[in-house]
Amino acid sequence: MIVGRIGELWRYPVKSMKGERIDTAKLGANGIPGDRGWAVRDEVRGGIRGAKKIAELMRCGARYLEEPEPGRVPAPEITLPDGARLRASDADASKRLSEALRNEVTLWPLLPAEMVDHYRRGAPTHADFDQEMRAVFGRAPDEPLPDFSVFPPVLFEFESPPGTYFDAFPLLLLTSATLGRLQKLAPASRVDVRRFRPNLLITTPDGVEDFAELGWVGKRLRIGEVEISVPAACPRCVMISHGFDDLPKDPGLIRTVVREANQNVGVYGSIERAGRIAVGDAVELL
């Protein structure tokens, strides 16, 4: 059954920075080549950090000047919040980025999975686990925390599955139906795809409403040459509330997602059969 078509295809060269739209990609086991190919490490508390902790990362942009290939991820160009540009490989790149973020960080490409200390979680901001998770996920005291059992157990020790900078899985899929439904539920918010950072924005047919992709969990999709399994929905964190570019800070959007969408917007994907996909490809629910 055809459930939609790829409307937009995104990759994010540096974890938590603004991404870039592309027309086609050859997916491997780790998704789109170059996606989250780089990240920043917190040199005060330790650990790879994203915008859950350093919100200013979402005001930075990143793009590749050369196309990534399997096993070769070039240094991206980074645009700082003031518009200045640098290459991730520049000798002073970490210093300049630290100044822009007002946090002491270093820039790192992906390292081999066996270098586990690189991926180990840094010190939490809050000693209390519940307080720490409420800060990370932007939850009010009377709101439930996500069901952490949907995440790979390795994430309790490591910031990401070692060898990757993904939050949990290689792909994130989102539908236009979900964005439209959220906008109706939160008319005062700017429900913009950039807040939700999908790899695939899937345009659904007219008449499809609600959170269409949540019905795909536990199933498989065929897109172009690729087959994808959908292991879990994506519980949303504080990042969707951050302000950047023309989007204002909006903690109310999280309240809507928790109340109306059972905390979830979009679904995760794992690659079952590698191959090429492109904007316009049909998305078939198997």
Side-chain angles (χ1 to χ4, degrees):
M1 178 176 67
I2 303 298
V3 293
R5 292 185 177 274
I6 298 180
E8 296 177 8
L9 191 56
W10 290 82
R11 70 181 171 201
Y12 305 87
V14 182
K15 182 180 178 70
S16 287
M17 292 187 185
K18 290 176 285 188
E20 57 181 352
R21 288 177 62 174
I22 55 178
D23 295 323
T24 185
K26 188 173 183 180
L27 273 58
N30 283 333
I32 298 172
D35 187 43
R36 279 81 172 187
W38 288 69
V40 301
R41 179 177 175 83
D42 185 333
E43 293 300 329
V44 177
R45 291 184 173 273
I48 299 300
R49 296 295 193 192
K52 295 178 181 68
K53 293 285 188 178
I54 306 175
E56 287 290 300
L57 279 166
M58 291 183 73
R59 298 185 60 224
C60 299
R63 63 171 184 156
Y64 289 114
L65 302 182
E66 305 94 35
E67 278 298 306
E69 299 173 358
R72 188 189 75 85
V73 179
E77 179 185 77
I78 294 171
T79 302
L80 300 177
D82 66 0
R85 296 182 181 182
L86 57 87
R87 290 291 291 268
S89 55
D90 290 347
D92 63 345
S94 293
K95 178 178 182 293
R96 292 177 64 189
L97 182 60
S98 295
E99 292 170 351
L101 299 177
R102 299 188 294 277
N103 282 271
E104 187 179 348
V105 300
T106 49
L107 276 160
W108 289 85
L110 283 173
L111 297 184
E114 55 267 25
M115 299 181 70
V116 292
D117 284 345
H118 176 70
Y119 296 97
R120 205 174 301 281
R121 285 191 174 276
T125 304
H126 306 282
D128 179 76
F129 179 79
D130 184 82
Q131 187 179 5
E132 176 75 0
M133 291 298 97
R134 289 190 179 281
V136 166
F137 285 92
R139 298 296 187 267
D142 61 341
E143 291 176 333
L145 285 168
D147 176 8
F148 296 122
S149 70
V150 306
F151 296 117
V154 70
L155 294 182
F156 288 95
E157 182 177 358
F158 301 104
E159 188 69 28
S160 58
T164 79
Y165 291 141
F166 303 127
D167 283 348
F169 298 95
L171 292 177
L172 181 64
L173 289 68
L174 179 65
T175 64
S176 59
T178 287
L179 292 179
R181 180 59 175 158
L182 274 178
Q183 189 62 77
K184 290 179 180 178
L185 292 167
S189 293
R190 288 277 307 282
V191 178
D192 189 292
V193 65
R194 292 171 293 166
R195 290 193 185 275
F196 300 96
R197 303 175 63 79
N199 295 113
L200 280 67
L201 177 63
I202 297 166
T203 303
T204 47
D206 291 343
V208 175
E209 296 184 351
D210 292 326
F211 307 104
E213 63 271 30
L214 297 183
W216 305 344
V217 174
K219 301 178 182 179
R220 294 164 67 94
L221 302 169
R222 181 183 294 125
I223 309 172
E225 302 172 350
V226 174
E227 288 190 9
I228 296 169
S229 61
V230 182
C234 177
R236 286 300 172 163
C237 71
V238 70
M239 286 176 60
I240 68 169
S241 72
H242 292 334
F244 61 97
D245 290 347
D246 59 327
L247 299 175
K249 185 174 181 179
D250 186 5
L253 185 56
I254 295 179
R255 309 281 81 75
T256 300
V257 168
V258 172
R259 183 179 64 250
E260 303 289 349
N262 194 29
Q263 310 193 50
N264 302 310
V265 177
V267 293
Y268 291 117
S270 292
I271 312 303
E272 300 295 329
R273 187 175 72 188
R276 186 169 296 279
I277 62 172
V279 171
D281 280 350
V283 179
E284 181 182 2
L285 182 63
L286 301 179

